């Protein structure tokens, strides 16, 4: 039983006229009769009795009428919903983003997206960078925003911009007078960073190891926001992604470039191959690239 046969049967059952039903469906009467016969053959019995003067429904035909109406309504609802989804008039996407990006830059892209596609719902999961990758890999979300990971395998990465790490200091710190701060000078003070495992902690440790600089950690925390608060409360100094600059300033910390060595890491969108994305997620990917790529987003 297919949808064309159901429509044909319902048109005849409602009008009790093959001629009227054929006109309604823009079919010839022989084509309509063939469709009804094919439906009867597939179901195994007569749905209509037909004489030269009249048409009547068999008991089985009577039983099929409400079923056919329900099927047709569900089919039309499904068709309408899918058309809305393809037209970006219905749907929902979830983005996993590292908290530093979610709290600083992501709102701009979401605002741009909502202006173009106001009927699509957008949800944000702010999670650690490493968790972002796993959520995309496990199909828990379609799009993730994170530092470029190592070993993407089957996933795609669309770079948005290059993030340069910065030093953050408490107010009135002796190093505040410097335009740029070296690691050697910074590590004379208590150092605060993220706990392991953390991509930020890993980048700092690897960069300093390659430069033969010893790292002694006085305090560590689970979130960058906590690190910033500890610095602003005078507990020590830290190095964080430039994404955190605005938040650090709001917490009362002083921000300066960190040099000798510098740390750079690309920030971008992680997702399954573009052909696997929903229309709504693909549109968000385009908005993210348009909003940030090729610019100094900070």
């Amino acid at each position: 039983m297919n949808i064309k046969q159901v429509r044909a049967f319902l048109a005849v059952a409602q009008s009790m006229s093959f001629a009227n039903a054929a006109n309604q469906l823009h079919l010839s009467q022989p084509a309509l009769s063939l469709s009804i016969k094919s439906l009867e053959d597939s179901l195994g019995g007569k749905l209509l009795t037909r004489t030269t003067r009249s048409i009547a429904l068999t008991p089985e035909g009577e039983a099929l009428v409400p079923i056919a109406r329900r099927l047709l309504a569900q089919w039309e609802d499904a068709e309408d919903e899918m058309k809305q989804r393809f037209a970006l008039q219905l749907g929902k996407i979830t983005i996993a983003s590292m908290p530093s990006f979610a709290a600083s830059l992501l709102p701009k892209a979401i605002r741009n997206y909502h202006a173009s596609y106001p009927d699509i719902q957008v949800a944000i999961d702010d999670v650690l960078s490493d968790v972002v990758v796993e959520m995309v890999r496990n199909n828990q979300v379609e799009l993730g925003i994170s530092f470029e990971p190592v070993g993407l395998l089957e996933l795609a990465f669309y770079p948005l911009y290059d993030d340069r790490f910065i030093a953050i200091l408490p107010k009135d710190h002796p190093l505040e007078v410097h335009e740029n701060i070296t690691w050697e000078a910074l590590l004379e003070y208590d150092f605060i960073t993220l706990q392991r495992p953390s991509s930020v902690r890993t980048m700092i440790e690897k960069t300093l190891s390659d430069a033969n600089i010893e790292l002694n950690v006085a305090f560590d925390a689970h979130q960058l926001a906590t690190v910033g608060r500890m610095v602003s409360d005078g507990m020590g100094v830290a190095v964080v992604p430039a994404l955190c600059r605005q938040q650090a300033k709001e917490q009362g910390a002083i921000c300066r470039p960190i040099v000798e060595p510098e740390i750079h890491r690309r920030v971008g969108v992680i997702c399954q191959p573009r052909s696997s994305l929903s229309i709504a997620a693909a549109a968000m990917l385009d908005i993210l690239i348009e909003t940030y790529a090729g610019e100094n987003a900070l």
Side-chain angles (χ1 to χ4, degrees):
M1 186 166 65
N2 62 51
I3 195 65
K4 289 183 179 179
Q5 293 170 343
V6 172
R7 282 199 176 104
F9 167 75
L10 207 52
V12 174
Q14 289 172 338
S15 66
M16 284 300 174
S17 165
F18 270 79
N20 291 341
N23 287 334
Q24 176 187 332
L25 298 173
H26 306 292
L27 293 173
S28 66
Q29 287 193 50
L32 177 60
S33 296
L34 181 61
S35 184
I36 297 294
K37 185 177 184 307
S38 296
L39 176 60
E40 291 175 329
D41 290 344
S42 69
L43 294 180
K46 288 288 184 182
L47 299 170
L48 298 162
T49 58
R50 187 176 179 184
T51 68
T52 54
R53 295 184 179 181
S54 65
I55 298 171
L57 290 167
T58 66
E60 292 77 16
E62 292 276 6
L64 181 58
V65 169
I67 298 172
R69 285 176 176 153
R70 187 166 65 249
L71 288 172
L72 191 59
Q74 291 173 342
W75 180 273
E76 290 172 348
D77 287 346
E79 189 176 37
D80 183 59
E81 177 177 332
M82 294 312 300
K83 285 180 178 178
Q84 288 185 64
R85 287 182 180 274
F86 281 113
L88 290 169
Q89 296 172 346
L90 180 70
K92 177 180 179 178
I93 59 170
T94 303
I95 303 171
S97 171
M98 52 186 180
S100 52
F101 189 94
S104 57
L105 297 181
L106 187 54
K108 179 180 178 182
I110 293 175
R111 186 167 58 248
N112 293 344
Y113 186 81
H114 185 69
S116 298
Y117 312 110
D119 298 315
I120 305 295
Q121 297 179 40
V122 181
I124 308 299
D125 283 340
D126 51 342
V127 294
L128 294 179
S129 182
D130 298 331
V131 178
V132 170
V133 180
E134 289 309 306
M135 291 183 73
V136 174
R137 197 184 304 280
N138 296 332
N139 293 310
Q140 294 173 265
V141 297
E142 289 192 88
L143 302 175
I145 301 174
S146 177
F147 294 112
E148 182 175 13
V150 177
L152 276 173
L153 299 178
E154 75 282 0
L155 299 180
F157 180 78
Y158 293 87
L160 298 179
Y161 63 92
D162 200 48
D163 187 287
R164 176 183 175 181
F165 281 35
I166 58 173
I168 58 173
L169 319 166
K171 278 188 176 180
D172 302 321
H173 192 276
L175 295 178
E176 183 179 342
V177 297
H178 298 278
E179 289 188 13
N180 297 295
I181 299 174
T182 66
W183 277 97
E184 182 180 4
L186 188 71
L187 293 177
E188 292 293 322
Y189 301 89
D190 286 339
F191 190 75
I192 307 168
T193 189
L194 289 179
Q195 297 170 352
R196 299 190 185 98
S198 155
S199 58
V200 170
R201 174 81 173 254
T202 300
M203 279 185 274
I204 290 173
E205 290 179 338
K206 184 179 185 309
T207 300
L208 295 186
S209 176
D210 291 345
N212 295 315
I213 297 175
E214 183 179 0
L215 176 64
N216 293 311
V217 175
F219 308 103
D220 57 19
H222 186 62
Q223 296 283 352
L224 284 167
T226 307
V227 171
R229 175 57 62 191
M230 294 170 75
V231 170
S232 64
D233 284 348
M235 295 177 63
V237 298
V239 170
V240 298
L243 275 169
C244 302
R245 177 184 282 119
Q246 186 59 39
Q247 185 179 59
K249 287 181 176 179
E250 290 171 357
Q251 291 175 328
I254 304 300
C255 303
R256 294 287 185 271
I258 184 75
V259 295
E260 299 179 20
E262 296 180 357
I263 302 179
H264 293 267
R265 189 75 175 270
R266 291 199 299 180
V267 173
V269 183
I270 302 164
C271 59
Q272 301 288 348
R274 189 184 178 99
S275 59
S276 302
L277 297 179
S278 66
I279 297 295
M284 175 59 85
L285 175 60
D286 290 338
I287 292 287
L288 287 164
I289 293 172
E290 179 184 334
T291 304
Y292 304 116
E295 299 182 4
N296 180 5
L298 299 170

